[in-house]
Amino acid sequence: MKLPHRSSLFQDVLRACVMTAIAVTLITIPRVASAHAVLMRSLPAANSTVHGPDVPVTIQFNSRVDSARSTLLLSMPGGEAKPLVLEKQTAPDTLTTHATQLTPGKYAIRWQVLATDGHITRGQISFAVQ
């Protein structure tokens, strides 16, 4: 029986380590990217019309969000914006609040959330109040 040359054995071990590192990198990269918070659904729904003056707001994401580091701003028909106070988080992927005393017109909720992967995502939900 012929034993492999010492440098050949070292090259085989090194090759196995490099291949393992590449495989681990390829497996973990998609998981990190998919952890960004993406809007799944909202109430009011985008481009919907709701009855005022008080409108419950629920925004659900595809991953956990940190409500302490997330914000919701209500853009008013006149262009001004006011922050909405978030209620205590009952689900790790959902933010809830109430927009009160809304008069008829077009509004938008601008959201900014911090996902558990540490990345911030932003978006806007436009709706109208009758």
Side-chain angles (χ1 to χ4, degrees):
M1 180 171 143
K2 184 177 178 184
L3 292 176
H5 189 268
R6 188 173 190 175
S7 66
S8 176
L9 181 61
F10 175 76
Q11 289 175 347
D12 290 345
V13 170
L14 181 61
R15 185 176 299 124
C17 289
V18 169
M19 296 302 284
T20 301
I22 290 171
V24 168
T25 301
L26 292 175
I27 290 170
T28 58
I29 285 175
R31 289 185 183 171
V32 171
S34 67
H36 287 47
V38 175
L39 177 67
M40 298 301 289
R41 66 184 180 117
S42 67
L43 291 174
N47 302 315
S48 66
T49 300
V50 297
H51 295 281
D54 298 331
V55 176
V57 175
T58 302
I59 303 175
Q60 183 180 19
F61 299 90
N62 69 331
S63 67
R64 298 172 141 216
V65 294
D66 182 347
S67 67
R69 294 178 177 87
S70 300
T71 59
L72 299 180
L73 283 176
L74 181 65
S75 293
M76 310 293 277
E80 65 183 274
K82 70 176 191 177
L84 295 172
V85 178
L86 292 171
E87 297 175 359
K88 183 178 179 184
Q89 198 169 11
T90 57
D93 61 350
T94 304
L95 300 176
T96 56
T97 186
H98 282 81
T100 59
Q101 301 179 351
L102 302 184
T103 58
K106 293 189 176 191
Y107 293 83
I109 297 169
R110 294 184 301 195
W111 56 267
Q112 176 178 303
V113 296
L114 175 66
T116 54
D117 69 348
H119 289 95
I120 293 173
T121 54
R122 298 174 183 89
Q124 179 171 307
I125 303 161
S126 298
F127 65 99
V129 173
Q130 286 184 333

